[in-house]
Amino acid sequence: MNKPVLLTVDDDPEVLNAIERDLRHHFRADYRVVKASSGTQALETVRQLLQRGAQVALFLVDERMPHMTGTQFLVEAIKIYPEARRVLLTAYADTETAIVAINQVGLDHYLLKPWEPPTVRLYPVLEDLLSEWFARARPAFDGIRVAGTALSPASFAVKDFLASNQVPYQWLDMEDDATVRELLSGASGGLARIPMVFFPDGTTLVQPSIRELADKVGLQTRAQKPFYDLIVVGGGPAGLAGALYGASEGLRTILVEQSAPGGQAGTSSNIENYLGFPGGVTGADLARRAATQAKRFGAEILAAQEAVEIRREDPYRKVILSDGSELTGYALLIAPGMEVRRLEAHGIEPLLGAGVFYGAALSEAATYRGRDVVVVGGANSAGQGAMFFSRYARKVTILVRGPDLSAGMSSYLVDRIREEPNVEVLVNARVVAARGDGRLESVTVVDGVSGESRELAVAAMFIFIGTAPRTGLCGDLVMRDSQGFVLTGRDAMTDGHRPAGWTAPRDPYLFETNVPGIFCAGDARHGSGKRVAAAVGEGSATVSMVHQYLHTV
Ligand SMILES: Cc1cc2nc3c(=O)[nH]c(=O)nc-3n(C[C@H](O)[C@H](O)[C@H](O)COP(=O)(O)OP(=O)(O)OC[C@H]3O[C@@H](n4cnc5c(N)ncnc54)[C@H](O)[C@@H]3O)c2cc1C
């Protein structure tokens, strides 16, 4: 943890060195002494300190300086560090100015030069002021800080990426805090270029891409080996299980994830039906444990890298990534899971990230504390989302298209929802429009039976209306059903015949596609279980088939 700063400013180099020396001598165990030789330079220093997340405990400033007086400096500096104690160094003749400054900048004290001996005329005064500051100071945050506005989709994307990769950060909202506006306007690009991400090493990323962010926070984004036995696409439960078992059984294994390990499961606030967790487990916790376990066995996990194409170049299988690089291996497991369906309602697109969210958007919950929100959807994911947001929101309204919540939701969740006093369920409810000026303000809901329409004033809408397989990368190479689910095993055969282009002297294995050595597991697979446990089972079971395949190449 960085020590709080004592900033001293004087244009006279001799006086500046003397005060710096005396401050260091007495306070260096608990504070860092920083000096500046003019008001302008000191303000620059103050802005840099803010960007680094440092705390400033004291300004000790000469009053009589050219260009900017001590008082003028303090007027600006306390906008940035309002809690810092303020002391002017004055000559006897400036006593009047110092008295005026008491009102103007809330001056705590003025010291007459010279301050000899410091043990009598300097240290006792400053100790007193610093103990006062210390009693009120909030501990400095020593980690990554993200500054922006809750209503900016780009700010949301950065927060969401960090949160889903379990990278701790502090969120600074420029709408709530003048210090944050000061921080942003002092940084390159100013207020117009949000979000900005400030790192403890003093560096800043302005409107970073997700890949830049991933690199900076130390996530792996590039492959380390030229060749792999097993390449896994997708870091949900199926892919993580495949990577974990592959690596643990000695295969050179790499997993490619476009966002963060965890997949849909990673967005679940509580998975209650996964074996071995009687009290439930958050998706984030399960993902963190699985990713750590897979890495411990030697699997590489690439984050923020999308697989955009897969190729067959016998005997190799290749994966082309979004940055143009490619991975080469013998076997490929595709486990891309599902992506959320888009809600067809007027006015939604411009409000995405500004009150309208697909999925649970767990990182946003605190933003909507004490506000009214709606959750759209009638399946388990919507129920879990509603239960989660009910801890923060004043009221959660679940909008279900069907006549009854129990049609698509597990009974344990329906019971929980009924017991929750701040959760209401509206059935036969169809969202037709979202309105708001820069942020969501209301949604229009039509009753499917009576045809009546009503306007609900809400701050956020979380949409969970189902999913579709994310299998676009299969192209024409891997066979899919009419809905886009990947066909494997017997389903990849046509009327009992092996698939066209099939070269192996056997039928496809259970989770093998129409291309030998390309497997599919989890939700994206035709006929899969659509549960965490099912995905984990399929991902791990695939590895034994991969071994059998590897014996033949
Ligand atoms: C909110 C919610 C709550 C749920 N709760 C439960 C529950 O309580 N119990 C239960 O059993 N099930 C639950 N489920 C269902 C469960 O999460 C899924 O069945 C499971 O996650 C499927 O795992 P998967 O690995 O097949 O796919 P996914 O979890 O969808 O993971 C696929 C991963 O692949 C990545 N990906 C996709 N395409 C690419 C690409 N081209 N390149 C790189 N990466 C790619 C995605 O980013 C994603 O991370 C829930 C689902 C949701 C959405």
Side-chain angles (χ1 to χ4, degrees):
M1 178 75 68
N2 283 336
K3 292 176 189 170
V5 168
L6 310 181
L7 177 65
T8 182
V9 194
D10 203 308
D11 63 312
D12 180 333
E14 265 181 45
V15 178
L16 185 62
N17 287 340
I19 191 88
E20 183 201 19
R21 183 199 58 220
D22 285 348
L23 290 176
R24 283 225 164 104
H25 176 76
H26 193 73
F27 293 106
R28 73 167 163 241
D30 301 316
Y31 296 90
R32 186 156 63 96
V33 179
V34 176
K35 64 178 177 178
S37 59
S38 72
T40 327
Q41 191 195 63
L43 273 183
E44 189 47 42
T45 306
V46 168
R47 292 200 177 97
Q48 283 168 7
L49 289 168
L50 181 67
Q51 283 182 20
R52 281 162 201 232
Q55 288 177 300
V56 175
L58 173 80
F59 296 119
L60 177 53
V61 193
D62 184 31
E63 171 57 17
R64 200 176 281 203
M65 295 187 289
H67 312 302
M68 187 184 280
T69 66
T71 310
Q72 286 168 337
F73 163 77
L74 285 175
V75 167
E76 297 306 318
I78 61 176
K79 287 182 193 159
I80 303 173
Y81 281 105
E83 305 292 332
R85 303 289 94 185
R86 306 125 199 211
V87 178
L88 275 183
L89 269 178
T90 56
Y92 185 71
D94 294 329
T95 315
E96 275 306 310
T97 319
I99 290 166
V100 172
I102 291 175
N103 289 331
Q104 206 178 343
V105 294
L107 195 71
D108 291 299
H109 202 87
Y110 63 89
L111 282 170
L112 290 176
K113 294 192 245 185
W115 54 86
E116 296 298 332
T119 44
V120 177
R121 300 193 47 210
L122 184 67
Y123 300 147
V125 171
L126 297 191
E127 269 171 4
D128 200 33
L129 290 176
L130 289 173
S131 66
E132 224 175 81
W133 173 84
F134 190 77
R136 291 193 207 162
R138 276 179 294 161
F141 184 76
D142 222 9
I144 296 170
R145 291 167 308 142
V146 181
T149 150
L151 299 169
S152 121
S155 300
F156 169 66
V158 165
K159 285 194 289 174
D160 193 48
F161 179 75
L162 292 175
S164 46
N165 276 288
Q166 324 218 351
V167 178
Y169 67 90
Q170 185 185 40
W171 166 239
L172 305 172
D173 195 328
M174 63 185 254
E175 291 193 20
D176 297 344
D177 193 334
T179 316
V180 177
R181 287 194 288 280
E182 188 65 42
L183 171 68
L184 289 168
S185 51
S188 69
L191 287 171
R193 300 193 60 203
I194 54 165
M196 289 186 202
V197 188
F198 299 95
F199 295 89
D201 65 1
T203 54
T204 305
L205 286 181
V206 179
Q207 295 183 319
S209 70
I210 292 305
R211 181 93 42 76
E212 278 177 294
L213 198 59
D215 280 331
K216 179 71 190 171
V217 298
L219 296 170
Q220 187 184 344
T221 59
R222 284 172 197 85
Q224 285 168 356
K225 298 187 185 74
F227 189 85
Y228 295 89
D229 299 311
L230 173 62
I231 303 170
V232 180
V233 173
L240 284 167
L244 162 61
Y245 281 89
S248 72
E249 291 171 19
L251 301 181
R252 289 166 291 177
T253 305
I254 188 165
L255 180 150
V256 188
E257 168 56 52
Q258 62 180 3
S259 176
Q264 299 168 72
T267 67
S268 169
S269 50
N270 199 14
I271 298 168
E272 298 197 51
N273 58 355
Y274 189 58
L275 186 75
F277 293 89
V281 56
T282 66
D285 195 23
L286 194 63
R288 182 182 52 76
R289 287 162 183 266
T292 309
Q293 204 175 0
K295 283 187 202 162
R296 221 191 74 214
F297 283 118
E300 289 179 43
I301 297 185
L302 303 190
Q305 277 283 19
E306 185 183 358
V308 290
E309 193 189 336
I310 52 179
R311 286 188 197 151
R312 170 182 187 170
E313 291 179 14
D314 285 332
Y316 308 119
R317 306 290 174 256
K318 289 196 167 175
V319 175
I320 315 301
L321 303 182
S322 45
D323 67 355
S325 61
E326 52 180 59
L327 304 174
T328 307
Y330 282 133
L332 170 59
L333 166 60
I334 47 177
M338 313 277 278
E339 58 192 339
V340 285
R341 284 218 167 81
R342 303 273 134 179
L343 180 66
E344 298 292 328
H346 180 75
I348 287 227
E349 286 303 314
L351 296 170
L352 274 179
V356 176
F357 302 94
Y358 282 100
L362 303 182
S363 62
E364 296 309 287
T367 305
Y368 297 100
R369 194 182 291 280
R371 321 273 293 274
D372 290 358
V373 307
V374 288
V375 165
V376 185
N380 277 2
S381 54
Q384 287 177 354
M387 290 301 293
F388 176 76
F389 291 116
S390 70
R391 286 188 242 150
Y392 299 85
R394 192 177 71 102
K395 182 178 170 194
V396 179
T397 306
I398 307 179
L399 304 174
V400 192
R401 271 179 90 115
D404 183 6
L405 195 60
S406 54
M409 203 177 283
S410 302
S411 57
Y412 79 91
L413 257 180
V414 176
D415 293 344
R416 296 262 166 81
I417 286 166
R418 288 202 177 116
E419 283 161 19
E420 204 57 50
N422 65 338
V423 180
E424 188 191 349
V425 180
L426 283 187
V427 295
N428 301 317
R430 192 161 52 90
V431 178
V432 294
R435 290 179 221 288
D437 186 11
R439 69 170 75 182
L440 180 69
E441 288 160 17
S442 68
V443 293
T444 313
V445 182
V446 170
D447 186 309
V449 175
S450 68
E452 275 172 28
S453 140
R454 63 196 268 194
E455 198 78 2
L456 298 180
V458 288
M461 168 160 69
F462 300 96
I463 305 165
F464 303 80
I465 53 165
T467 46
R470 196 191 319 230
T471 51
L473 85 162
C474 293
D476 294 331
L477 183 63
V478 171
M479 279 163 52
R480 290 174 283 168
D481 68 12
S482 58
Q483 292 178 291
F485 290 98
V486 174
L487 298 168
T488 56
R490 291 169 68 96
D491 294 323
M493 310 265 285
T494 317
D495 298 332
H497 296 291
R498 290 173 185 165
W502 183 262
T503 44
R506 57 172 176 81
D507 291 350
Y509 295 127
L510 189 58
F511 298 142
E512 199 169 25
T513 68
N514 58 304
V515 181
I518 299 185
F519 299 81
C520 179
D523 280 15
R525 195 181 68 80
H526 173 90
S528 66
K530 310 287 183 288
R531 289 283 181 274
V532 176
V536 168
E538 292 187 12
S540 44
T542 302
V543 173
S544 66
M545 298 166 212
V546 168
H547 277 297
Q548 294 179 52
Y549 172 75
L550 290 176
H551 286 134
T552 66
V553 288

